Amino acid sequence: MIPIKILTPAEMGKCDQYTINSGIPSVVLMERAAHSVVHAILDEFEGVPEKTLILCGIGNNAGDGICMARELTDLSSQCTLLMTMGVGKLSPDATRQFNLLSKKNCTITTDMGAIEGSLDQYDLIVDAIFGTGLDRPIPKEIDDFLEHVNHFDAFKCAVDVPTGINAVNGSLFAENPFYADLTVTFAFPKTGMFFYPARKTIGKLKCSYIGIPNDTPEAIGWQEKYLMNALTAKMILPTAEPDVHKGSMGRLAVIGGSSDYKGAPLLSLTGALKSGAGMVKGILPIYHSQSFFTVQPEIIINQIPSSIDFHGLESLELILEKTQDADAFVIGPGLGRHYSTTCLVNEFLSKTDKPVVIDADGLYALSTPEALQGLATRKGETVLTPHMGEFSRLTGKSIAEIKANRFEILRTFAKKHRCTVVLKDATTLISTTQGQLIINTTGNEGLATGGSGDVLAGIIGAYLAKGMKPHRAAQLGVYLHGLAADIYKKEHESSTFTPSTICEMLDEAMMTLR
């Protein structure tokens, strides 16, 4: 299976130029691009839309739209072309397309006001105003016009990317970006499409081949970014042989819990158990107050006598003794932030060469230069699972700064500290130790509740315990975690989703991949 590569607009521009330099004229790429969008529209309509409005700017994205107007007119759609920025400054290829269109029976206008009053007559509205190169706020008159466009029920299709989005990082260059029902992007998906708020404007995403070879990104020095999807998940989801035993299915130990957060490690343990770990063991403190949780009988619980209400450094040797048989660890869920606890985390990491998932308060323990240096030099493989706030603390950068430049910041951090990092957000981004990035789009707002991350840490830990490479365990864990939420949402209100529900839905999520 060939993974789906994702490019920044700058990388895509280099791919375009590389292909043109190799002998394929730019106008050929434009014709193929337009043709691919027309075909996607015909598939959606199961025929030809009766009345079409195409919105164009002045660049090559407009050239795609003008070419589409010619093709749709040939197919007998009553087509109107609105040149939102006039026709005096069209790019050379767009000018060529405009001259060809002038011989067709297509209405051409520059009057946005007149079109605004007749928007209700169109079956299809196509956005070809600005492409991936947009790097500034759009003109106010276009922004205001798009506000009206978005209110009408016509099927809306964006060419390459919707107008008004930052195709690099997913931020917006408009108060009223074009909200598409369908976006047809060319050659490779663009990074900004997958991150909010821009992701809300994309609708259904289709990627069309226009003549740029799949190995072109490597030729132009692309920094590796891939989409995590069902095909990849199917490929890496492990299948148990009939002669396995509990030892060969992986032993996971979860070190966590404190008097304030007794449930967190139990969620991790349940997530691991439901992910097929052969044995799961919780290493918990002894609580002064009686616990009100019922622990599944399959989960082994070891309470550490020297840990009263929270784990401290004095418990290190006993914890190491109790977990000698573990194949992998999760450390952090519910640990708390006592100074002695942070010392325990860092000492534990230096004492074991087994794979470790570090989550929640375990990440807090890493929030010093010395701790991060220890992370970079540890012998075992490490997976970190921070949300944006935790990653901000680890890097010393603001959340806004991270969101604006998340690819480079995450890649640099993972490579420097020799760890796989799962940056949790509405769209989760994973970096390998070598700096390859994986974008995951499963999941929904139902996961925005305390405890969801604890379950994810357990799922990833289970796959680590089975012997899966850290980046694969992270990919699969994040995908299944989100897929469980998506399956639930199909038949339930997302606000009723709980972390325990994730565990219950994991079986169905896995079955969709078999």
Side-chain angles (χ1 to χ4, degrees):
M1 187 210 69
I2 299 172
I4 297 174
K5 300 170 184 177
I6 299 173
L7 276 62
T8 64
E11 290 169 335
M12 190 66 238
K14 291 179 180 178
C15 286
D16 283 336
Q17 195 58 52
Y18 184 89
T19 305
I20 293 166
N21 292 344
S22 72
I24 299 179
S26 58
V27 70
V28 172
L29 296 179
M30 182 174 285
E31 290 276 349
R32 288 176 173 175
H35 195 61
S36 71
V37 183
V38 169
H39 266 276
I41 288 168
L42 297 180
D43 286 344
E44 291 293 328
F45 276 78
E46 297 183 351
V48 179
E50 183 177 353
K51 299 196 72 173
T52 299
L53 173 65
I54 299 181
L55 314 175
C56 288
I58 57 175
N60 283 345
N61 194 249
D64 298 333
I66 297 167
C67 184
M68 286 179 62
R70 189 180 83 241
E71 292 198 3
L72 286 167
T73 300
D74 286 344
L75 291 168
S76 299
S77 181
Q78 297 177 43
C79 199
T80 298
L81 186 70
L82 173 61
M83 304 302 297
T84 62
M85 303 173 74
V87 297
K89 297 181 180 180
L90 291 175
S91 71
D93 282 346
T95 298
R96 179 179 299 184
Q97 295 294 345
F98 190 78
N99 291 337
L100 289 170
L101 180 65
S102 64
K103 303 172 185 177
K104 300 291 182 179
N105 185 26
C106 174
T107 301
I108 301 173
T109 181
T110 60
D111 190 344
M112 281 191 283
I115 293 295
E116 190 176 298
S118 60
L119 285 170
D120 59 346
Q121 67 179 285
Y122 296 103
D123 306 297
L124 168 67
I125 301 177
V126 175
D127 166 28
I129 304 175
F130 292 106
T132 60
L134 183 67
D135 60 0
R136 63 196 182 281
I138 68 173
K140 187 176 188 307
E141 60 271 22
I142 295 178
D143 198 321
D144 291 344
F145 177 73
L146 289 179
E147 181 179 13
H148 294 284
V149 169
N150 288 329
H151 286 155
F152 284 87
D153 292 333
F155 186 86
K156 301 178 184 70
C157 177
V159 176
D160 210 2
V161 297
T163 286
I165 76 164
N166 184 329
V168 179
N169 60 30
S171 60
L172 297 180
F173 288 127
E175 290 185 21
N176 300 288
F178 184 85
Y179 279 86
D181 298 298
L182 169 69
T183 297
V184 182
T185 197
F186 306 134
F188 305 96
K190 316 308 181 293
T191 50
M193 295 175 162
F194 298 102
F195 296 94
Y196 290 97
R199 184 172 160 186
K200 292 187 289 187
T201 71
I202 300 298
K204 182 193 297 185
L205 177 62
K206 289 188 176 181
C207 189
S208 66
Y209 170 74
I210 61 170
I212 297 176
N214 194 56
D215 59 358
T216 307
E218 285 82 356
I220 58 93
W222 163 71
Q223 293 185 312
E224 293 178 76
K225 296 173 287 293
Y226 301 97
L227 180 65
M228 181 63 190
N229 60 10
L231 290 176
T232 303
K234 286 179 182 180
M235 181 184 73
I236 64 178
L237 183 65
T239 301
E241 296 297 329
D243 59 344
V244 297
H245 54 83
K246 62 185 179 184
S248 61
M249 290 296 285
R251 297 180 173 92
L252 179 72
V254 176
I255 303 169
S258 62
S259 57
D260 291 330
Y261 304 105
K262 299 173 185 176
L266 300 181
L267 287 169
S268 297
L269 288 160
T270 306
L273 186 68
K274 294 291 187 177
S275 300
M279 294 181 66
V280 291
K281 179 187 292 187
I283 306 299
L284 310 180
I286 291 177
Y287 302 121
H288 272 123
S289 58
Q290 185 176 357
S291 175
F292 52 86
F293 292 101
T294 300
V295 180
Q296 290 181 249
E298 299 90 346
I299 295 174
I300 301 167
I301 297 294
N302 284 174
Q303 290 188 292
I304 305 301
S306 52
S307 295
I308 307 298
D309 285 333
F310 63 90
H311 286 303
L313 186 58
E314 64 277 5
S315 299
L316 175 63
E317 293 305 321
L318 187 53
I319 290 173
L320 289 170
E321 178 186 326
K322 293 286 187 182
T323 58
Q324 289 182 57
D325 62 343
D327 298 306
F329 294 91
V330 172
I331 188 167
L335 271 179
R337 298 182 177 181
H338 295 276
Y339 175 72
S340 184
T341 306
T342 63
C343 293
L344 167 71
V345 171
N346 290 300
E347 283 297 311
F348 175 81
L349 293 174
S350 71
K351 296 287 187 181
T352 181
D353 58 3
K354 302 285 181 64
V356 180
V357 180
I358 308 175
D359 183 49
D361 291 329
L363 296 168
Y364 179 82
L366 297 178
S367 302
T368 65
E370 296 78 18
L372 288 174
Q373 179 59 36
L375 185 67
T377 57
R378 76 174 296 263
K379 295 178 181 178
E381 296 170 314
T382 313
V383 178
L384 308 187
T385 56
H387 55 57
M388 278 288 178
E390 291 165 335
F391 194 58
S392 175
R393 187 185 302 113
L394 289 171
T395 60
K397 300 181 185 298
S398 69
I399 292 176
E401 186 178 359
I402 293 168
K403 288 190 173 184
N405 193 27
R406 71 183 82 206
F407 308 111
E408 194 55 41
I409 292 172
L410 182 61
R411 179 189 293 113
T412 299
F413 183 92
K415 291 175 69 175
K416 179 179 179 180
H417 300 291
R418 295 181 59 251
C419 55
T420 297
V421 184
V422 177
L423 181 54
K424 297 181 293 191
D425 200 18
T427 299
T428 292
L429 184 63
I430 302 165
S431 178
T432 71
T433 57
Q434 301 302 310
Q436 294 94 349
L437 299 177
I438 301 102
I439 295 174
N440 182 78
T441 58
T442 59
N444 57 64
E445 66 280 1
L447 293 172
T449 182
S452 292
D454 300 314
V455 175
L456 175 61
I459 297 170
I460 296 172
Y463 289 118
L464 278 182
K466 291 172 182 283
M468 192 175 281
K469 292 293 184 183
H471 70 282
R472 290 301 200 192
Q475 282 179 261
L476 185 57
V478 168
Y479 184 85
L480 288 171
H481 183 259
L483 183 59
D486 290 340
I487 291 171
Y488 182 86
K489 187 178 177 180
K490 288 179 180 178
E491 296 184 2
H492 303 85
E493 167 57 45
S494 62
S495 63
T496 66
F497 191 72
T498 68
S500 294
T501 313
I502 302 171
C503 302
E504 296 167 8
M505 301 300 296
L506 277 174
D507 171 65
E508 192 169 344
M510 291 179 199
M511 287 301 295
T512 65
L513 301 177
R514 295 300 187 191

